[in-house]
Amino acid sequence: TLTLVEPSIAPGVKKSGKGHESVQVTDKDTANGVEWTVSVYNGDGTSPKTGENAVTEMTGFTITDTLEEGFSFYGASAVADAKDVTYDIYNIDVNGKETKVDGSSGTFTAAIDGQKVTIDCSSITLQPNQCIKFQFVTSSAKPTEVVDEDTGETETMYIADAGKASNTAYVTFKNG
């Protein structure tokens, strides 16, 4: 018996965040925010490149991230009106260790539509057992009138809401 096996991609997506202390929300004001990393995978390091479960290169994908209500996008540069998203590509070994691919860093311009952030990755090709990691910053800081206890003067400060920030990232592929 002869069986023809068509290689396929092995996509995965993961999102994580950590605190960011200096988001430039206006020309003169900073606030706290969240620095996000969205990772898109083509295999986990153990994915075979040949044989029955072979993984092939992954191309033509787009990342769509919906920000939590009240959050604004500040790009990788963490400044108002920024649309930059930085990225690095990593190889993944059989133990799951990720090693940055030399010369694989770059910047994309994100499309922002309300709470939706879209990154067109059609120019990227992930080989089997590779991942790409995107970084950008968001903040929920809003202008708040604050009275200085010593002077009694009122000033506007940008204060971020306390609590959790969660959202979801999706990967879509052209032609299926």
Side-chain angles (χ1 to χ4, degrees):
T1 302
L2 177 64
T3 304
L4 178 61
V5 178
E6 186 80 25
S8 63
I9 59 174
V13 64
K14 178 173 85 173
K15 185 171 184 183
S16 60
K18 65 181 180 180
H20 191 285
E21 295 183 2
S22 57
V23 180
Q24 192 74 38
V25 293
T26 69
D27 289 342
K28 60 182 180 164
D29 297 301
T30 60
N32 291 335
V34 180
E35 181 179 328
W36 295 103
T37 300
V38 177
S39 304
V40 178
Y41 294 86
N42 186 23
D44 62 4
T46 63
S47 302
K49 297 177 185 179
T50 60
E52 187 175 334
N53 297 312
V55 174
T56 189
E57 64 185 28
M58 188 168 85
T59 61
F61 59 98
T62 300
I63 307 298
T64 303
D65 191 5
T66 303
L67 305 179
E68 186 79 18
E69 189 65 37
F71 275 76
S72 297
F73 183 84
Y74 290 92
S77 53
V79 296
D81 300 320
K83 293 183 173 50
D84 60 318
V85 176
T86 58
Y87 70 87
D88 298 296
I89 296 176
Y90 295 82
N91 287 321
I92 309 166
D93 70 15
V94 295
N95 297 314
K97 181 181 177 193
E98 299 172 358
T99 306
K100 187 175 165 191
V101 176
D102 290 337
S104 69
S105 300
T107 303
F108 280 118
T109 300
I112 312 299
D113 182 12
Q115 299 303 108
K116 185 192 284 187
V117 177
T118 303
I119 307 164
D120 180 358
C121 305
S122 58
S123 63
I124 295 292
T125 298
L126 287 182
Q127 298 301 321
N129 301 311
Q130 280 190 332
C131 71
I132 185 169
K133 295 186 178 194
F134 300 92
Q135 294 84 29
F136 59 87
V137 174
T138 63
S139 179
S140 64
K142 302 290 181 243
T144 306
E145 297 296 320
V146 177
V147 177
D148 185 305
E149 292 179 3
D150 296 327
T151 66
E153 294 181 18
T154 301
E155 66 177 309
T156 300
M157 296 182 72
Y158 281 77
I159 300 174
D161 293 333
K164 70 176 189 174
S166 63
N167 52 36
T168 306
Y170 297 95
V171 180
T172 56
F173 298 91
K174 294 179 182 171
N175 299 326

